[in-house]
Amino acid sequence: MSAVDHLGTYLNDHLGGANAGVEMARQLEEAVRGTPYAAALGPIAKDIEEDLQTLRGLVDEVGVGQNPVKQAVGWVVEKAHRIGVHERMAGSRDLSLLLQAESLGLGVEGKLALWLALMEVVPAHPQLTTVDLAALAERARDQRRRLEIARLGAARAAFTSDD
């Protein structure tokens, strides 16, 4: 396999995860509506959707094509995750919010790792200069910070009250 093939595999792995991340973010946004965390979290699903579109554009720019199998795997993972963190399975709304914020935070960490890795290989793949990777990395850090506010608030609520 060539370096471009490896890059394509890597991008498609992240694309599958990003598809799942958008759905997780939508679910979390809905779940925090009316809670103290909603304002801090902001429109995170919209932000993550924009990142997904950017990633799709990079896949096209690199010329490797989107892998439908990896996309399907991301879809299945998100559906399984949705069941696992549901309030009925978690036992409480706050614990469910904690698990959702934590899972999405891990995904955002992966996205940050993606942008940082791509920054390292721009000289070998100049087509990556079509996006501002440094700004995307900073945006991921901001998303992670916002998720952390919701995560820690949900942890306090879940582990300090007997409701």
Side-chain angles (χ1 to χ4, degrees):
M1 286 179 72
S2 72
V4 171
D5 292 332
H6 292 171
L7 179 59
T9 297
Y10 184 67
L11 291 173
N12 271 289
D13 282 348
H14 277 275
L15 194 55
N19 283 319
V22 167
E23 292 304 316
M24 287 179 183
R26 288 178 183 150
Q27 183 181 358
L28 180 60
E29 254 185 29
E30 184 178 312
V32 300
R33 205 168 276 129
T35 71
Y37 332 121
L41 200 58
I44 198 151
K46 177 183 163 286
D47 293 349
I48 292 174
E49 173 72 33
E50 289 173 8
D51 294 341
L52 171 62
Q53 295 308 322
T54 298
L55 183 53
R56 284 183 179 147
L58 277 178
V59 167
D60 293 342
E61 192 69 33
V62 171
V64 293
Q66 296 182 26
N67 185 320
V69 172
K70 291 184 185 268
Q71 304 229 1
V73 168
W75 183 86
V76 169
V77 166
E78 188 279 326
K79 298 308 174 210
H81 175 267
R82 184 178 295 218
I83 293 167
V85 301
H86 191 275
E87 186 175 332
R88 278 187 257 168
M89 291 294 285
S92 82
R93 178 177 190 212
D94 293 315
L95 183 55
S96 176
L97 290 176
L98 170 63
L99 294 170
Q100 289 178 59
E102 211 160 80
S103 297
L104 189 55
L106 291 170
V108 169
E109 287 291 330
K111 178 173 54 179
L112 173 59
L114 162 72
W115 302 138
L116 295 174
L118 294 180
M119 288 169 66
E120 291 295 312
V121 300
V122 165
H125 301 280
Q127 63 273 46
L128 297 175
T129 61
T130 60
V131 297
D132 186 345
L133 294 168
L136 289 166
E138 189 53 41
R139 180 176 164 134
R141 287 183 187 102
D142 179 62
Q143 291 168 1
R144 186 66 185 94
R145 181 191 57 74
R146 290 161 39 207
L147 282 162
E148 190 66 359
I149 292 168
R151 188 184 79 80
L152 293 176
R156 279 189 303 276
F159 303 142
T160 60
S161 69
D162 290 327
D163 296 338

